[in-house]
Structure formats: C-alpha cells, structure tokens
C-alpha cells in the first residue's frame, strides 16, 4: 500500500494516479465537441484525495476546461466531492465508491455573479485496473438534467 495513503481513504486506492484519454461532449445549447483529457487523483497522507482535471480540444490542442477539488470520505463507502472551476462554479457532491464505481450527485452548486447558471451535476466514474470511463450529466442554463460529457481514460501513472 502507498505509504502516503491515509487509512480513512484506503478504499479509494483504485482511483489514485494519472489518467489520460479522450472524450466527447454535447449539450442542447452548444455544438458537440471532442476533447483530450488528463485527470489526476493524488494524496499526501491526509484523509482526502486531491483532484485535478484539464481538457484540450482534440481538433486544435487548445485548452478547453479545467477544474480542481477534493474527494473526502464520509463514513462507510460514502464520499464528498468539492469541485472548483475557473468559470466561477463550485460543485458540492455526495455519493459513494463501491466496486470500482464512483457515483456522485450535487447537493449544492454555487456560482459567482458572472458564471453561467448550473443547477445540478451528476458524475459516474467506473474504474478498473487501468481504465476509467465516466459520464457527466448536467442541468444548466435553463436546460433539464441531461447528457453533457463521456470519456474513456487509461492510467498512465500510479
């Protein structure tokens, strides 16, 4: 086991590492798009997992989106996930990690005065030894909850 892994987050060990791959996005208010992504889940010996995410356009290589946050245990297989975006949106999720599946749904979304309105987000991530597949559904800018993103990533570093 990783020497930096706090015992309270040992159940999250399968997600640790850097993951890279490709995805696609769509939403009723925008054109569909393809992207390249890198996600890192890391730990420093405290009872939380740090999260960073960066995407680039698959067509141009230009930066698209970034977010950062923390995944925290909250009893049993329960987790809390706080995500901050440079777009002015903060998501607070609750969920669980069971059998390689991280299931999260927002319990609160906060926004700056200039951010586009986001009402709710649901994230589901499936982890196997070296693969992460995920979907992200969103209710935003007056649209009901629906598909926004999906990707398939491979572990490139533990």
């Amino acid at each position: 086991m990783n020497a930096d892994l706090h015992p309270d987050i040992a159940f999250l060990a399968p997600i640790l590492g850097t993951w890279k791959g490709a995805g696609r996005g769509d939403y009723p208010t925008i054109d569909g798009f393809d992207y390249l992504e890198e996600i890192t889940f890391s730990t420093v010996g405290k009872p939380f997992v740090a999260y960073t995410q960066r995407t680039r356009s698959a067509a141009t290589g230009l930066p698209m989106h970034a977010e950062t946050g923390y995944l925290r245990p909250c009893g049993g297989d329960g987790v809390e996930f706080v995500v901050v975006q440079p777009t002015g949106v903060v998501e607070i999720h609750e969920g669980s990690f069971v059998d390689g599946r991280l299931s999260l749904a927002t319990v609160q979304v906060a926004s700056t005065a200039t951010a586009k309105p986001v009402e709710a987000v649901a994230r589901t991530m499936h982890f196997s030894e070296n693969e992460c597949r995920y979907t992200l559904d969103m209710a935003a800018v007056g649209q009901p909850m629906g598909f926004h993103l999906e990707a398939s990533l491979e572990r490139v570093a533990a």
Side-chain angles (χ1 to χ4, degrees):
M1 179 166 37
N2 181 332
D4 287 340
L5 192 59
H6 191 282
D8 290 353
I9 60 168
F11 74 108
L12 295 171
I15 74 170
L16 296 176
T18 298
W19 308 79
K20 288 185 179 183
R24 72 173 188 89
D26 200 3
Y27 206 65
T29 58
I30 60 174
D31 292 334
F33 57 93
D34 294 321
Y35 60 93
L36 305 175
E37 181 168 29
E38 180 174 316
I39 293 174
T40 299
F41 291 99
S42 61
T43 182
V44 293
K46 298 286 188 176
F48 61 83
V49 173
Y51 161 81
T52 59
Q53 181 264 15
R54 306 286 180 267
T55 60
R56 295 188 171 279
S57 167
T60 66
L62 293 173
M64 293 179 66
H65 181 75
E67 53 190 42
T68 191
Y70 297 94
L71 188 62
R72 301 169 0 113
C74 63
D77 56 21
V79 293
E80 301 169 334
F81 191 40
V82 178
V83 178
V84 179
Q85 302 173 20
T87 57
V89 175
V90 177
E91 303 170 16
I92 300 172
H93 295 258
E94 291 180 356
S96 62
F97 183 67
V98 178
D99 296 330
R101 179 183 166 126
L102 183 61
S103 301
L104 301 159
T106 51
V107 293
Q108 186 173 357
V109 178
S111 301
T112 63
T114 59
K116 290 182 180 178
V118 175
E119 290 80 38
V121 177
R123 299 168 183 250
T124 304
M125 304 179 87
H126 299 269
F127 293 87
S128 62
E129 185 173 333
N130 290 310
E131 182 183 32
C132 170
R133 290 177 292 106
Y134 77 81
T135 59
L136 186 146
D137 293 339
M138 178 173 70
V141 294
Q143 299 295 312
M145 184 68 91
F147 172 81
H148 181 42
L149 303 171
E150 68 180 358
S152 180
L153 313 173
E154 292 184 14
R155 187 190 314 260
V156 296

